[in-house]
Amino acid sequence: MKKVVVGLSGGVDSSTAAYILKQQGYEVIGITLKLSEVDQCSLDKQVCCSTKDILDAKKVASFLGISHYVIDWQEIFKEKVIDYFIKGYQSGLTPNPCSICNREVKTGLLAKYAKKILKSDFFATGHYVKTDFLDGEKVIKRGKDLSKDQSYFMALVEKEVIDMLIFPLGNLTKEEVRKIARENKIPVSQKSESFEICFTAGKTPEEYFKSIGVPLKTGDIVHVSGKILGKHKGLEAYTIGQRKGLGIRWKEPLYVIDKDPIKNTIIVGEKEYLLTDSATAKNFNFLVPIQKWKNITVQGRYRQKPIEVKEYYFDGDTLKVIFKEKQQKMAPGQILAVYQDDILLGGGVIT
């Protein structure tokens, strides 16, 4: 009997994934990560990895009759994800902590832990992602439910980890998963979904920084012409492409074009200044060798419509893509995920 470790968060998706794997005849082991000291969620703020989630995961494991372990990785999570998020925003970026977390904690590191410590054959999660084979190599594909597809967040996960991953929900829709959970009386079948960025509990970056006592430094909002138009609340409160909430007046709508952490300024301009014909991503992670790529598309944020690419170049570290048509500038710090049809080819951090 093959052994599979499931990242059991205490939510309906991972719980249903564990149920499906047990039904398929695997020896299933649940692991829940303690990443927060939060005791429970408020009624309107669902955040994963709280003490309540751990208790929910225990209930599910008991209901399914599987072994269950809780691992305290709060220090690892703080160092690899929360600190990355804070430093990124303070550097003028718009970081994507979920993609980093999947590589460094919840998927990548936990899969390696499962293999080394628990001698697991596979590692599974409740992500809406599929796997397949291309020329004999295991690859990541978009999930069936495109409204829930989470392949974008897998772009930085190392190839060696991909080989041991299983995604039981890849061929299901969210509604189908809920139905399976309800019909089989899984304890968390009615539980609401958690936020994408779990540790912010639904707060905006500005609200989050204030909640942890990190002061925001005000500075000038500068038009591309050089004219100072007003004051910003702190670089952390803005992202590339933002139009609303700037608090300035101009004869035409203005957008955030860039952020300068050295001068502590927000640069704004008309929409044409937001358009570009290219994007670059550093530290590129290849899931499929570039020699096998053809007719690629890219995504610069979660749920963005795939963008067609005319040309691409790789210099040994950084990938540059040239779009077929001009696009809105992508936010530095986000992930550039590259696809061929629905196959995830890899990804890197946008510069």
Side-chain angles (χ1 to χ4, degrees):
M1 184 185 293
K2 293 288 187 179
K3 182 188 294 185
V4 57
V5 167
V6 180
L8 204 58
S9 69
V12 65
D13 292 335
S14 63
S15 300
T16 306
Y19 168 81
I20 291 171
L21 290 168
K22 187 175 181 187
Q23 293 298 110
Q24 291 174 345
Y26 288 96
E27 178 190 349
V28 181
I29 298 173
I31 290 186
T32 304
L33 299 179
K34 180 176 174 60
L35 304 178
S36 168
E37 288 292 355
V38 175
D39 289 329
Q40 62 182 10
C41 311
S42 62
L43 293 176
D44 63 335
K45 303 282 188 182
Q46 176 66 27
V47 50
C48 79
C49 313
S50 69
T51 302
K52 183 181 183 302
D53 290 305
I54 293 174
L55 294 175
D56 285 341
K58 286 181 179 292
K59 290 178 185 176
V60 170
S62 176
F63 173 80
L64 296 177
I66 64 174
S67 300
H68 181 242
Y69 303 94
V70 178
I71 307 175
D72 190 333
W73 276 5
Q74 290 183 79
E75 289 187 15
I76 294 174
F77 185 68
K78 181 182 182 301
E79 176 189 348
K80 297 293 187 179
V81 182
I82 297 178
D83 289 352
Y84 174 87
F85 177 84
I86 292 171
K87 290 174 184 176
Y89 265 107
Q90 291 177 329
S91 300
L93 304 176
T94 304
N96 189 302
C98 298
S99 295
I100 295 298
C101 184
N102 272 317
R103 184 184 71 195
E104 301 288 351
V105 187
K106 290 183 181 179
T107 301
L109 184 60
L110 191 50
K112 293 176 185 176
Y113 179 93
K115 184 177 182 179
K116 182 177 181 180
I117 305 300
L118 297 176
K119 310 301 180 186
S120 176
D121 299 291
F122 301 105
F123 178 74
T125 75
H127 286 97
Y128 289 81
V129 177
K130 291 194 287 189
T131 59
D132 204 342
F133 287 89
L134 178 68
D135 299 330
E137 296 287 323
K138 196 170 189 178
V139 292
I140 295 286
K141 298 179 74 173
R142 295 187 186 276
K144 172 187 172 181
D145 188 344
L146 294 180
S147 69
K148 291 292 295 179
D149 168 50
Q150 295 169 306
S151 59
Y152 174 83
F153 296 117
M154 295 290 157
L156 302 185
V157 175
E158 297 162 302
K159 179 68 174 70
E160 65 176 283
V161 173
I162 300 298
D163 291 337
M164 68 177 296
L165 294 183
I166 298 178
F167 301 104
L169 309 187
N171 286 305
L172 298 170
T173 64
K174 181 71 179 189
E175 290 72 23
E176 290 170 334
V177 169
R178 286 278 187 193
K179 184 179 179 182
I180 292 171
R182 284 195 308 269
E183 291 181 348
N184 294 281
K185 297 180 172 56
I186 296 174
V188 294
S189 63
Q190 301 300 322
K191 190 172 181 179
S192 60
E193 291 189 73
S194 59
F195 289 101
E196 289 165 20
I197 303 179
C198 60
F199 61 89
T200 64
K203 296 183 179 71
T204 64
E206 179 186 359
E207 291 168 342
Y208 175 72
F209 275 87
K210 288 180 179 178
S211 73
I212 62 173
V214 176
L216 303 188
K217 186 179 178 182
T218 62
D220 292 329
I221 297 178
V222 183
H223 187 263
V224 288
S225 64
K227 181 178 176 63
I228 297 175
L229 301 182
K231 290 287 185 180
H232 66 72
K233 297 178 286 186
L235 296 182
E236 298 86 347
Y238 305 84
T239 191
I240 304 301
Q242 181 175 333
R243 176 185 171 185
K244 296 181 179 180
L246 300 181
I248 54 177
R249 291 185 177 181
W250 193 250
K251 53 191 175 184
E252 294 182 51
L254 295 179
Y255 301 80
V256 175
I257 305 299
D258 206 351
K259 301 194 288 185
D260 187 336
I262 297 176
K263 295 181 180 179
N264 190 32
T265 56
I266 297 289
I267 297 89
V268 297
E270 290 78 4
K271 193 167 187 177
E272 60 263 30
Y273 290 101
L274 196 59
L275 300 177
T276 180
D277 61 1
S278 66
T280 57
K282 65 179 180 179
N283 302 325
F284 200 85
N285 177 54
F286 286 94
L287 298 178
V288 174
I290 196 169
Q291 295 81 5
K292 296 184 178 181
W293 292 12
K294 56 184 178 181
N295 301 322
I296 69 170
T297 59
V298 297
Q299 258 181 257
R301 64 179 186 275
Y302 181 44
R303 290 179 177 166
Q304 181 179 37
K305 183 179 178 181
I307 297 169
E308 293 185 340
V309 171
K310 179 171 63 175
E311 302 170 54
Y312 53 92
Y313 312 94
F314 182 66
D315 66 5
D317 177 74
T318 301
L319 180 78
K320 181 173 183 177
V321 295
I322 310 297
F323 308 134
K324 285 188 177 180
E325 297 179 359
K326 283 193 173 185
Q327 303 290 327
Q328 179 174 309
K329 182 180 178 182
M330 295 177 177
Q334 287 290 296
I335 306 304
L336 184 76
V338 182
Y339 291 86
Q340 180 177 304
D341 296 322
D342 61 348
I343 297 174
L344 179 63
L345 303 177
V349 179
I350 297 169
T351 61

